[in-house]
Amino acid sequence: MWTLRKSQTCEVFCVSGHGHGPPGSSGAQGALKEPGHSAGPPTKPEAEGGRAPAWGSWGRWMLGLLPFFPVTAAIALTLHFLSSPPSSAFFLGGSVEFPNLSFSLELTDSTSPQFRLQAQALNQYFSQLYESSPWSSYYLHSGIIAFSEGVEGLNVFYWSKFSAPDSVALAIRGSSPERLRRRFPGSNKPLRYIRNEQRYYMERDLDMLHLLGLDPDDFETDDKSDKSKNPNSIQSGKWQLGFQAISFDLYAKYGNNRTLSLVSPKKSYYQWRLRVPSGHVVRLVILNLHGATPGSCTAHKLSAYDFLLPLQNKIIARWCGLPLSGSSPVMKLTSSGNVMLVTFSFSRQRDGAIFKAYFQAIPKAGCGGSVTSWNGSLSSPYYPAFYPPNIDCSWTLRAPLPGYLISMTIVTLDIQDSSSSDGCEKDWLDIGGVKLCNSISESSKKRVYSSPLSLHFHSDESLTQKGFYLLYRAFTPEGTCPRQFRCGDGRCIPLRKVCDGVRDCFDGRDEAKCSSCRAGETLCVNGQCKPHSSQCGSQSSCADSSEEGNCGSKCYHVCPNKVCLPKSSVCDGVMDCKDRSDELNCTRSYYKSCTSSSFKCANAKCVSKTNPECDGVKDCADGSDEMRCGCGTRPRKRAKIVGGTDAGLGSWPWQVSLQMDRYGHVCGATLVSNRWLISAAHCFQDSEAIKYSDARSWRAYMGMRVMTTGNNGAATRTVRRILLHPQYDQYTSDYDIALLELSAPIFFNDVVQPVCVPAASHIFTTGTNCFVTGWGVLMEDGELASRLQEAPVKIINRNTCNKLYDDAVTPRMLCAGNLQGGVDACQGDSGGPLVCLERGRRWFLAGIVSWGEGCARQNRPGVYTQVVKFADWIRQQTRGQV
Ligand code: 4AZ
């Protein structure tokens, strides 16, 4: 958050809806005195006609705001002012909620009869309240500016004008409702008719006056001249001469986007009063902004306020300056409540000014909480949109085991203008007792803290920024091996290297308690025991036998680790190469003894061929490998995911968009039968505000390419139930898979088709060309795609990927992408398909978009749930329907 320089010094004060003490009561110290207190009640000087203030209804005058001035009081005050120190005029602005009144859309239109009637009634009500207040002699007049939907009733936005000597004005400014309540205990009427009262000073800002349609000269007048004016002069006089703003009153229901636009404006001041339903906040998305850029505010300025009045202390953001050439920044701002005021004002050239934006209602999100995790991220609310003003969030971060430290990387810290010299008084992020608000150097972006770690984010009521984004992970400095295997010498090795037939620990501890293989034999990945060194014989050792590397002309097939195999070992149903390359692309198949990695026919016999299912060749005697093969084709296809391209209609007929009524597209999914979808478990984890796990909130759209409102010809179904994998771990993303049963079967056609689900034995080899598809964001922090995107990605070697991700890639995950970066799935693609074209020209579901560090970054490939690991679970849960 950064501080705006005020255009003028503030010499006027604004005050709450209560009245204020008469001049004589303020005394030399400028303090107020109240009746019944030792200091004595504020009394009106004789010159005022000796009218004693009515003390009996503090509650009423506190609210109140602002009535018409009785003629007798006006005369009295005139007399008073002839003998009093000079007064200056000042304004206050406020809002108050009336639970006994209700909001209606007509009240957003200030020209409607409903608005007029309600404003009149409230004016009368305030007037009565005010008459019994002790401050009535300083009150001049007020106006009802706008209404919005309150938590229980009607929120009323008003301003009031006062005139008082400086000392009294100071005292009024310093009086909070609580203090006044204590000052006037006898008048402690319960505030039955009001709620959530907020009052603010309106500073001496000419734009503010213009926007309210007020005459800026009013500030200079003392109350004598004021008395000669019609208290309702806001509705007359200079207002008629063009001081007023052009106003637009807009309301967006949840799910609607409402547009704000301005091209070559003809007037000097424009304002948009934005409202959304209670329980929501306003998200303003600025698409285009010429004519206002950060800098001096002399020419144009675009301001957004967290209120329906242009109060200086409620500015969320402001852009000032001369017209910009080239593209303008796209900004997203968020309010703290259900209203926002946007103003655009021009003091000189207007022609180049163009402003285009839209706003929407988004549910009010909570923030903070207690997190116990190995790793994860934290961000300011609504990040990367600007955080809302006036919030406080506290987190406690714990490593899952004692003795662990927390390493924190500050990816983004955009909280306060770095040119500000106020320290961290406005907005700040406190990590472990240290407040951060200005940009920080590269070297201090990574920090280490002990666990538990407390974080607190504070934003004051004005000026917001993009906020912060942090990544954290728990680690031990030395000695232990978190989630790794510890060798005798203290070295840590990844768990996957334990019992893999290769001695990784110096002392062999990683292979010590693994199998029942006899001496001279090695346990292979496929579970078999094999002789230790069979030099270019019929079978190789499954260990990384470099001694077999030089087998010369006897080699029919060379494994990637240089192990040399004779012809008889290739396509014999036994995996000799670690990467199984000796058993891929085999056309011949025959029965062999079953192992955990072989394809099992329905008659319980196993075939030697890898990936025999749906390849167009009958490998099982019972034909079961070619059954259930009505999948994985693209009938229509005869012929931005990040870095992707628009997909053609029907190119990915199994792609599903999972949408929530209130939020639109949330996740992807894949159609695998006429009743079942596969998606990611993390799409269905409840947040504080949203129950994602409730099947009734979701709708599945199939056969869709262009994402628009409405179903646009897509087939749609509600969801009967969501089955999350019981071992899903939200901290590690392990077992990130969910099955969704549709409420009714879907009919297949050219653009709606299921993909093939691979058998448990299916192998997608490293380097296979596959595609990821979805409507996710086109770049980190970007917008969702409006057309389905497709991107070619390669399966990446697991060891390589694990090195890049510090062994966070579990056996249930696979990595795909491009190590150079540039192509990847991203937010919004989650749950969607990674598919590969297999023999028989059918597409198989290899992965489910799950996670990754950022999107399309170099050496940070996408991580997917490996579907083959769940083939049996899927068949069981769907009772064989998939
Ligand atoms: C996500 O947030 C997400 N680059 C999905 C995929 C990736 C990153 C994030 C992979 O849904």
Side-chain angles (χ1 to χ4, degrees):
M1 193 171 277
W2 38 276
T3 314
L4 285 177
R5 212 181 284 168
K6 290 171 193 159
S7 50
Q8 293 181 32
T9 45
C10 173
E11 291 160 21
V12 281
F13 315 113
C14 304
V15 81
S16 57
H18 52 73
H20 45 282
S25 69
S26 55
Q29 308 81 11
L32 298 174
K33 296 178 181 141
E34 63 273 17
H37 269 219
S38 54
T43 53
K44 300 231 171 196
E46 291 306 308
E48 287 184 52
R51 182 163 73 86
W55 297 109
S57 51
W58 137 250
R60 292 188 329 197
W61 62 256
M62 190 189 90
L63 321 170
L65 309 172
L66 326 166
F68 303 104
F69 224 66
V71 174
T72 49
I75 295 164
L77 278 170
T78 307
L79 290 172
H80 157 68
F81 286 118
L82 288 171
S83 60
S84 305
S87 293
S88 45
F90 61 97
F91 289 83
L92 71 82
S95 77
V96 61
E97 181 174 347
F98 288 78
N100 58 336
L101 300 179
S102 51
F103 174 77
S104 67
L105 277 183
E106 289 79 12
L107 290 176
T108 60
D109 174 7
S110 56
T111 62
S112 72
Q114 287 88 342
F115 183 102
R116 231 185 8 256
L117 283 173
Q118 188 66 82
Q120 262 169 13
L122 282 162
N123 253 331
Q124 229 168 41
Y125 176 73
F126 288 150
S127 151
Q128 282 163 9
L129 292 174
Y130 190 73
E131 270 171 21
S132 53
S133 103
W135 312 109
S136 59
S137 54
Y138 302 114
Y139 168 75
L140 297 176
H141 52 263
S142 61
I144 307 286
I145 289 294
F147 298 105
S148 72
E149 189 175 338
V151 179
E152 287 175 26
L154 181 66
N155 240 345
V156 179
F157 291 82
Y158 63 86
W159 57 261
S160 307
K161 187 177 177 186
F162 294 84
S163 178
D166 285 356
S167 57
V168 179
L170 264 176
I172 292 168
R173 186 176 66 157
S175 299
S176 71
E178 281 68 29
R179 272 176 58 189
L180 284 167
R181 211 175 311 212
R182 268 183 264 120
R183 281 172 176 279
F184 307 113
S187 58
N188 199 11
K189 243 192 172 173
L191 305 177
R192 263 194 314 131
Y193 299 110
I194 64 163
R195 273 179 57 111
N196 304 330
E197 189 174 17
Q198 295 194 62
R199 281 154 302 183
Y200 297 96
Y201 313 128
M202 298 205 330
E203 295 188 274
R204 196 173 190 165
D205 182 327
L206 291 184
D207 285 348
M208 182 272 290
L209 295 175
H210 285 131
L211 291 166
L212 290 177
L214 292 167
D215 176 358
D217 293 343
D218 268 7
F219 263 126
E220 311 308 332
T221 56
D222 71 10
D223 34 73
K224 281 170 237 159
S225 54
D226 268 318
K227 294 296 143 192
S228 64
K229 287 194 175 177
N230 175 356
N232 291 324
S233 61
I234 178 178
Q235 305 295 354
S236 59
K238 294 203 176 165
W239 193 81
Q240 303 283 353
L241 300 176
F243 282 100
Q244 85 281 16
I246 303 291
S247 302
F248 303 96
D249 282 286
L250 300 174
Y251 183 87
K253 281 199 287 196
Y254 183 81
N256 288 355
N257 287 350
R258 302 286 315 260
T259 304
L260 292 65
S261 71
L262 199 56
V263 178
S264 294
K266 301 285 175 286
K267 292 272 184 179
S268 299
Y269 300 96
Y270 286 82
Q271 64 178 337
W272 292 262
R273 285 186 284 246
L274 315 182
R275 299 164 176 90
V276 295
S278 170
H280 293 72
V281 295
V282 179
R283 157 73 48 83
L284 177 72
V285 181
I286 299 173
L287 301 170
N288 199 334
L289 180 58
H290 294 285
T293 56
S296 97
C297 288
T298 51
H300 307 326
K301 60 188 173 209
L302 178 81
S303 311
Y305 298 84
D306 196 35
F307 211 66
L308 284 185
L309 296 173
L311 307 182
Q312 189 118 39
N313 60 335
K314 286 285 185 180
I315 294 177
I316 305 174
R318 174 171 282 176
W319 291 270
C320 317
L322 294 165
L324 242 196
S325 57
S327 63
S328 310
V330 173
M331 305 300 301
K332 289 184 183 177
L333 301 180
T334 316
S335 64
S336 67
N338 65 336
V339 296
M340 188 188 280
L341 173 72
V342 179
T343 67
F344 206 174
S345 59
F346 314 91
S347 56
R348 277 191 257 120
Q349 8 176 177
R350 297 173 198 156
D351 290 345
I354 299 174
F355 166 53
K356 196 151 192 189
Y358 67 88
F359 80 101
Q360 55 192 192
I362 55 172
K364 198 168 189 158
C367 64
S370 239
V371 186
T372 302
S373 174
W374 287 109
N375 54 34
S377 62
L378 283 183
S379 62
S380 43
Y382 309 110
Y383 181 88
F386 278 35
Y387 54 81
N390 226 346
I391 45 154
D392 280 278
C393 317
S394 295
W395 293 267
T396 306
L397 209 55
R398 276 193 183 78
L401 291 175
Y404 282 70
L405 299 178
I406 294 171
S407 156
M408 182 73 75
T409 306
I410 301 172
V411 182
T412 309
L413 185 75
D414 188 3
I415 291 183
Q416 192 159 9
D417 184 12
S418 53
S419 63
S420 153
S421 57
D422 322 326
C424 295
E425 280 162 15
K426 292 173 166 293
D427 302 353
W428 37 263
L429 171 67
D430 180 318
I431 311 182
V434 177
K435 275 187 185 169
L436 304 172
C437 58
N438 291 312
S439 57
I440 51 172
S441 66
E442 272 310 306
S443 59
S444 50
K445 284 195 167 160
K446 204 156 186 168
R447 295 151 187 247
V448 171
Y449 300 92
S450 57
S451 169
L453 171 65
S454 298
L455 298 98
H456 189 93
F457 177 60
H458 169 79
S459 79
D460 73 356
E461 60 187 3
S462 68
L463 288 178
T464 72
Q465 299 283 311
K466 199 164 176 180
F468 65 88
Y469 182 71
L470 314 174
L471 291 172
Y472 61 85
R473 45 190 267 111
F475 73 102
T476 43
E478 55 195 30
T480 54
C481 295
R483 293 200 296 175
Q484 291 197 323
F485 183 84
R486 188 161 183 254
C487 300
D489 58 358
R491 216 162 61 89
C492 304
I493 60 163
L495 291 175
R496 70 192 144 75
K497 294 198 167 180
V498 177
C499 295
D500 66 349
V502 180
R503 253 168 77 138
D504 297 286
C505 291
F506 180 73
D507 55 1
R509 194 185 269 211
D510 58 323
E511 300 298 321
K513 293 181 188 158
C514 299
S515 76
S516 50
C517 291
R518 279 165 292 171
E521 289 182 332
T522 307
L523 177 77
C524 298
V525 227
N526 58 14
Q528 294 175 337
C529 293
K530 292 206 173 170
H532 243 311
S533 73
S534 45
Q535 277 228 333
C536 305
S538 60
Q539 290 187 333
S540 78
S541 158
C542 53
D544 185 3
S545 325
S546 49
E547 76 276 10
E548 288 184 306
N550 190 8
C551 294
S553 57
K554 283 187 189 171
C555 281
Y556 182 79
H557 177 86
V558 184
C559 307
N561 61 1
K562 305 279 190 304
V563 170
C564 169
L565 299 180
K567 194 169 180 186
S568 55
S569 294
V570 176
C571 292
D572 66 346
V574 177
M575 269 171 295
D576 298 292
C577 295
K578 258 186 166 179
D579 70 343
R580 308 174 180 205
S581 53
D582 58 317
E583 295 300 321
L584 290 175
N585 303 322
C586 304
T587 43
R588 63 192 168 123
S589 77
Y590 42 84
Y591 285 125
K592 57 162 216 160
S593 56
C594 292
T595 67
S596 58
S597 57
S598 48
F599 182 83
K600 210 172 197 172
C601 306
N603 60 11
K605 301 216 160 139
C606 291
V607 292
S608 63
K609 195 200 246 173
T610 41
N611 304 348
E613 75 267 38
C614 304
D615 67 349
V617 179
K618 188 173 141 189
D619 299 292
C620 295
D622 58 6
S624 54
D625 59 315
E626 294 301 316
M627 285 173 183
R628 301 169 181 277
C629 291
C631 59
T633 59
R634 311 194 286 179
R636 202 180 168 93
K637 200 96 184 145
R638 268 172 219 101
K640 261 172 194 166
I641 277 205
V642 180
T645 49
D646 286 4
L649 183 65
S651 293
W652 310 105
W654 36 82
Q655 174 78 50
V656 179
S657 163
L658 287 180
Q659 305 198 4
M660 290 178 95
D661 282 348
R662 300 169 126 220
Y663 310 99
H665 173 91
V666 175
C667 268
T670 309
L671 187 66
V672 289
S673 80
N674 65 352
R675 264 190 187 279
W676 289 94
L677 309 180
I678 293 183
S679 186
H682 81 254
C683 292
F684 309 100
Q685 301 302 302
D686 292 337
S687 73
E688 263 177 46
I690 305 168
K691 216 160 158 36
Y692 290 101
S693 60
D694 186 349
R696 290 166 303 182
S697 319
W698 293 93
R699 192 167 260 284
Y701 290 83
M702 281 124 322
M704 193 167 82
R705 185 169 63 129
V706 179
M707 177 89 56
T708 49
T709 47
N711 60 9
N712 197 27
T716 155
R717 292 285 184 276
T718 50
V719 174
R720 172 174 292 169
R721 58 188 175 131
I722 300 170
L723 303 174
L724 301 183
H725 196 283
Q727 283 161 280
Y728 169 64
D729 180 337
Q730 60 175 315
Y731 300 114
T732 58
S733 299
D734 209 1
Y735 296 90
D736 191 7
I737 185 170
L739 283 164
L740 277 68
E741 187 177 8
L742 300 176
S743 54
I746 190 87
F747 302 103
F748 300 145
N749 56 35
D750 276 9
V751 293
V752 179
Q753 286 286 321
V755 78
C756 299
V757 175
S761 60
H762 201 104
I763 298 165
F764 295 97
T765 44
T766 300
T768 303
N769 280 315
C770 303
F771 277 84
V772 60
T773 53
W775 288 274
V777 296
L778 296 169
M779 61 177 85
E780 280 182 43
D781 305 347
E783 298 281 323
L784 287 177
S786 53
R787 282 166 184 273
L788 180 63
Q789 300 290 296
E790 62 181 40
V793 286
K794 273 192 165 44
I795 306 272
I796 290 170
N797 175 279
R798 165 177 300 279
N799 291 349
T800 309
C801 195
N802 248 325
K803 280 192 192 115
L804 299 173
Y805 277 125
D806 292 342
D807 289 321
V809 182
T810 71
R812 270 73 50 190
M813 300 174 188
L814 73 82
C815 301
N818 176 352
L819 292 184
Q820 274 77 55
V823 184
D824 199 1
C826 204
Q827 212 177 0
D829 293 319
S830 276
L834 169 72
V835 290
C836 309
L837 186 61
E838 292 289 31
R839 256 195 329 247
R841 306 217 51 81
R842 288 182 192 277
W843 291 87
F844 280 73
L845 184 64
I848 303 163
V849 178
S850 179
W851 64 279
E853 194 178 306
C855 304
R857 296 185 191 176
Q858 192 178 22
N859 288 330
R860 292 290 181 274
V863 186
Y864 297 77
T865 310
Q866 195 175 3
V867 175
V868 294
K869 300 287 179 185
F870 298 95
D872 296 335
W873 181 75
I874 294 167
R875 302 246 188 269
Q876 264 167 23
Q877 297 300 316
T878 60
R879 295 175 307 280
Q881 290 171 17
V882 174

